[in-house]
């Protein structure tokens, strides 16, 4: 599991936008922000990949926090579906017993 970034997601998005809009080199922007230029390059490449991956499908890039929340919610939905199925079977069983 990769270690969490010491830079907040919003900071990374803003840094990528600054690189794209300023016309300055990665090294210059990195020095200004106090970020290694290779780290900044990785952020820019990840943003390009995220945009290219969602192009044409109307998808929006998802942050790490949002991915974690989606994973948690999907797990919760699966548990609730199992519980619902158990309750449905129990209701059918008791309805059958009451009819005897």
């Amino acid at each position: 599991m990769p270690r969490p970034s010491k830079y907040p997601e919003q900071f990374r998005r803003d840094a990528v936008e600054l690189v794209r809009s300023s016309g300055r080199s990665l090294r210059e922007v990195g020095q200004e922000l106090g970020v290694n230029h290779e780290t900044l390059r990785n952020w820019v490449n990840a943003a390009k990949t995220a945009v290219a991956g969602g192009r044409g499908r109307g998808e929006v890039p998802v942050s790490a926090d949002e991915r974690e929340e989606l994973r948690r919610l999907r797990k919760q939905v699966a548990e609730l579906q199992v519980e619902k199925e158990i309750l449905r079977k129990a209701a059918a069983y008791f309805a059958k017993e009451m009819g005897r």
Side-chain angles (χ1 to χ4, degrees), residues 31-76:
Q31 285 176 345
E32 180 183 321
L33 297 176
V35 177
N36 184 296
H37 69 281
E38 288 300 323
T39 300
L40 193 53
R41 182 185 317 280
N42 289 339
W43 295 348
V44 170
N45 288 338
K48 285 179 185 175
T49 302
V51 169
R55 193 171 282 149
R57 296 188 306 213
E59 294 179 10
V60 176
V62 180
S63 72
D65 290 338
E66 291 170 326
R67 269 192 300 278
E68 178 59 30
E69 183 178 11
L70 279 171
R71 185 198 62 74
R72 183 183 59 77
L73 291 172
R74 285 179 177 144
K75 181 179 178 183
Q76 185 179 10

Side-chain angles (χ1 to χ4, degrees), residues 10 15 17 29 42 47 50 54-55 59 71 79-81 90-91:
Q10 186 61 46
E17 185 58 36
V29 174
N42 289 339
R55 193 171 282 149
E59 294 179 10
R71 185 198 62 74
E79 290 172 1
L80 290 172
Q81 287 173 336

